[in-house]
């Protein structure tokens, strides 16, 4: 089955969205019980963490942790936004740099200026979009980013998105309340799919879409620990409390050539496998044997694969024992935590 299909459905009573690309599950979003990234709180500062430059905050959903904060005294009120999912038993990660995102526009109160996605390269189109941006943000001190989905989009649609996000930001920053409160809930899976999966695709909204389009079968595989590699071999992905371990296995062929082939295939498959499983944090890859001269090529392939990934991922580098480490934002709910 070729092409892109977005399927909006429910599973185990939870709202969910699946992106199928050429018959493979390329991305998956599901509602959980934890606060959703994008949620905005009026929070209260509780106590600083010495040596880390952070502060514990109280929110309606429990304790939160704000990194790299200074000049914030216990008892003070502060606007923060949920930036990811907390590890079990830990505080909600939040940031004081609020973003107001929609399909076309991102309003950035802490970053003034008008910016366009670098994926929009046509100069005439950039000029058109900058004119719309100037009109939409006239008189505002907030910044704006127009996303790649704006390319060739209707001017009225873009202007409506800008106005909606600008108004939302103005309402939040005009808030004068004192008690800890949720000001804006983060977007659910269906809205996130509309907001972020902007490439042309067939959209399926009828109940039973997951069954009809193979999403349930793909989820059954993703809930296991193995992921087949194109051309042979397999990777095993096992979350632990400390990290996510990825083991590259070539099967019966133990030659260096087979190891190189499997490792480069892993570089291509890994971003999708982590997205679908909702995994983040520290990722440690135990690679198949390959010549040291091929390490640079593997790293370049890995960097290229993660470049277009939806979650921020840092390539930390090689360990003395020859493993490769990544650090990935916990922007998703682990699949194993919500589908039992």
């Amino acid at each position: 089955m070729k092409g892109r299909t977005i399927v909006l459905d429910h599973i185990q009573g939870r709202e969910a969205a699946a992106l199928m690309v050429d018959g493979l599950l390329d991305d998956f979003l599901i509602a959980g019980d934890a606060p959703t990234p994008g949620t905005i709180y009026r929070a209260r500062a509780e106590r600083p963490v010495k040596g880390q430059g952070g502060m514990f905050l109280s929110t309606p959903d429990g304790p939160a942790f704000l990194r790299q904060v200074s000049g914030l005294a216990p008892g003070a009120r502060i606007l923060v936004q949920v930036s990811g999912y907390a590890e079990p038993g830990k505080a909600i990660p939040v940031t004081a740099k609020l973003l107001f995102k929609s399909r076309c526009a991102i309003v950035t109160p802490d970053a003034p200026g008008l910016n366009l996605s670098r994926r929009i390269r046509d100069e005439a189109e950039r000029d058109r979009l900058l004119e719309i941006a100037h009109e939409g943000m006239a008189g505002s001190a907030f910044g704006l980013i127009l996303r790649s989905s704006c390319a060739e989009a209707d001017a009225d649609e873009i202007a409506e998105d800008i106005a909606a996000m600008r108004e939302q930001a103005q309402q939040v920053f005009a808030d004068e309340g004192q008690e800890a409160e949720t000001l804006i809930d983060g977007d659910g899976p269906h809205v996130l799919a509309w907001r972020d999966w902007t490439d042309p695709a067939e959209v399926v909204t009828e109940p039973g879409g997951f069954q009809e389009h193979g999403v349930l079968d793909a989820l059954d595989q993703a809930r296991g620990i193995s992921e087949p590699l194109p051309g042979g071999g397999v990777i095993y992905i096992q979350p632990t409390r400390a990290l996510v371990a990825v083991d590259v296995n070539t099967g019966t062929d133990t030659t260096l050539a087979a190891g190189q082939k499997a490792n480069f295939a892993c570089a291509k498959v890994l971003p999708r496998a982590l997205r679908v499983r909702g995994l983040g944090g520290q990722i440690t890859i135990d690679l198949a044997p390959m010549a040291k001269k091929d390490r640079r090529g593997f790293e370049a392939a890995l960097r290229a694969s993660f470049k277009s990934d939806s979650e921020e991922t840092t390539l930390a580098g090689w360990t003395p024992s020859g493993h490769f480490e990544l650090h990935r934002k916990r922007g998703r709910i682990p699949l194993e935590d919500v589908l039992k």
Side-chain angles (χ1 to χ4, degrees):
M1 182 172 59
K2 298 295 184 181
R4 294 168 56 90
T5 303
I6 295 172
V7 188
L8 307 181
D9 204 346
H10 290 75
I11 183 170
Q12 295 184 6
R14 297 177 183 271
E15 183 179 293
L19 175 62
M20 302 293 290
V21 178
D22 296 336
L24 290 175
L25 182 58
D26 190 75
D27 207 343
F28 185 71
L29 304 168
I30 186 167
D33 301 320
T36 307
T39 297
I40 296 176
Y41 298 121
R42 182 198 314 121
R44 183 178 65 244
E46 295 295 345
R47 60 181 177 86
V49 180
K50 295 180 179 179
Q52 294 187 27
M55 174 76 75
F56 279 106
L57 314 173
S58 62
T59 78
D61 293 319
F65 184 69
L66 177 64
R67 295 181 181 277
Q68 298 176 340
V69 61
S70 59
L72 187 65
R77 273 48 172 181
I78 183 173
L79 296 174
V80 293
Q81 188 168 42
V82 178
S83 58
Y85 286 98
E87 298 177 66
K90 293 192 176 181
I92 305 165
V94 295
T95 176
K97 295 182 178 180
L98 277 54
L99 298 176
F100 298 83
K101 293 184 179 182
S102 189
R103 184 178 174 90
C104 293
I106 303 175
V107 168
T108 58
D110 294 309
L114 305 179
N115 296 280
L116 304 181
S117 166
R118 285 178 288 185
R119 291 176 61 185
I120 304 173
R121 298 180 180 178
D122 181 83
E123 288 302 322
E125 181 65 1
R126 291 181 68 87
D127 290 342
R128 179 184 81 96
L129 294 176
L130 280 173
E131 184 176 343
I132 297 171
H134 278 286
E135 291 179 1
M137 297 301 290
S140 175
F142 297 155
L144 175 72
I145 300 171
L146 289 185
R147 309 179 73 186
S148 59
S149 55
C150 291
E152 309 301 330
D154 181 77
D156 289 340
E157 178 186 350
I158 298 170
E160 288 174 6
D161 252 18
I162 294 173
M165 293 301 99
R166 175 178 171 174
E167 181 180 0
Q168 193 177 81
Q170 288 170 338
Q171 290 176 349
V172 167
F173 278 86
D175 173 74
E176 296 181 352
Q178 294 299 310
E179 299 303 316
E181 184 179 345
T182 301
L183 302 181
I184 292 179
D185 289 317
D187 292 329
H190 290 182
V191 173
L192 283 174
W194 166 80
R195 193 186 83 184
D196 294 338
W197 298 344
T198 57
D199 289 342
E202 175 191 3
V203 179
V204 177
T205 58
E206 293 79 10
F210 282 172
Q211 176 69 48
E212 181 179 348
H213 291 270
V215 176
L216 296 182
D217 290 339
L219 288 175
D220 282 342
Q221 177 178 308
R223 291 164 71 180
I225 65 171
S226 64
E227 185 79 23
L229 296 174
V234 65
I235 56 175
Y236 295 95
I237 304 172
Q238 294 183 281
T240 71
R241 186 168 179 81
L243 52 83
V244 177
V246 179
D247 179 50
V248 184
N249 195 300
T250 61
T252 58
D253 188 346
T254 58
T255 64
L256 288 180
Q260 182 203 35
K261 182 179 179 181
N263 290 337
F264 277 71
C266 169
K268 184 176 181 180
V269 166
L270 189 58
R272 177 181 62 82
L274 295 175
R275 273 197 309 274
V276 169
R277 289 168 171 80
L279 297 177
Q282 181 179 328
I283 318 289
T284 300
I285 309 173
D286 183 8
L287 294 159
M290 69 176 178
K292 279 193 174 182
K293 65 181 179 63
D294 294 322
R295 284 188 173 186
R296 183 173 296 180
F298 167 80
E299 193 170 345
L302 199 63
R303 181 173 288 106
S305 293
F306 276 105
K307 187 175 182 180
S308 59
D309 190 46
S310 56
E311 300 299 339
E312 181 182 347
T313 303
T314 301
L315 276 61
W318 300 93
T319 70
S321 57
H323 298 152
F324 195 87
E325 288 190 351
L326 314 169
H327 294 284
R328 180 176 172 81
K329 180 180 176 181
R330 286 188 172 88
R332 305 289 180 88
I333 305 173
L335 199 60
E336 64 175 1
D337 289 353
V338 288
L339 295 184
K340 305 300 183 182

